[in-house]
Amino acid sequence: QVKLMESGGGSVQDGGSLRLSCATGDYFVDNSCVGWFRQRPGQEREGVAVIYAGGGVSYVADSVKGRFAISQNTAKSAVYLQMNSLKPEDTAMYYCGADVTCTRGTVASMRSPPPADEYRYWGQGTLVTVSS
């Protein structure tokens, strides 16, 4: 059974940092993408950052560019979201998802966050709360 598992959420003050982890196991290596999405209460899930699981290319949404960074471990078994200079509006449930139809070219050509419904596999989410 394919499983993704997020961790690293928590409560921080305005301006603080958190590092989220998504354990992907060996399910998504090459020919797939892993993305971080967030969902605020009453809102749709929005894409934040995406990385090609085969390595070498990533995308970060304009809304968080310069503050958030996505990366992958060398074993390609985990994807991270480093979040710096957090703001209260970053408060949300953060999810990692996997898209097995995504290619390196898909990520390289991204100019806007991908729709959540393109991602088939999801973790259970981790809550990030930023207080002012």
Side-chain angles (χ1 to χ4, degrees):
Q1 183 179 359
V2 175
K3 293 182 73 173
L4 300 171
M5 186 169 295
E6 304 94 336
S7 61
S11 297
V12 296
Q13 295 277 337
D14 191 351
S17 297
L18 284 173
R19 188 194 196 207
L20 305 184
S21 298
C22 175
T24 60
D26 58 0
Y27 294 113
F28 307 107
V29 290
D30 299 327
N31 300 318
S32 61
C33 297
V34 178
W36 282 101
F37 293 73
R38 64 185 181 186
Q39 189 166 19
R40 302 182 183 94
Q43 296 188 19
E44 294 187 355
R45 197 169 294 189
E46 64 169 343
V48 174
V50 178
I51 192 165
Y52 176 63
V57 64
S58 62
Y59 163 86
V60 178
D62 288 345
S63 59
V64 299
K65 192 170 290 183
R67 300 190 297 121
F68 291 13
I70 189 169
S71 62
Q72 185 181 39
N73 66 348
T74 53
K76 301 181 181 179
S77 60
V79 173
Y80 308 104
L81 185 68
Q82 178 66 44
M83 305 187 296
N84 299 326
S85 302
L86 282 162
K87 305 174 182 180
E89 52 264 41
D90 294 318
T91 294
M93 186 70 80
Y94 283 73
Y95 298 89
C96 67
D99 174 11
V100 296
T101 67
C102 178
T103 66
R104 182 187 299 271
T106 305
V107 181
S109 62
M110 274 185 187
R111 297 296 179 265
S112 61
D117 59 11
E118 290 183 358
Y119 284 66
R120 178 178 178 184
Y121 301 100
W122 294 96
Q124 82 289 349
T126 187
L127 181 63
V128 172
T129 303
V130 185
S131 56
S132 57

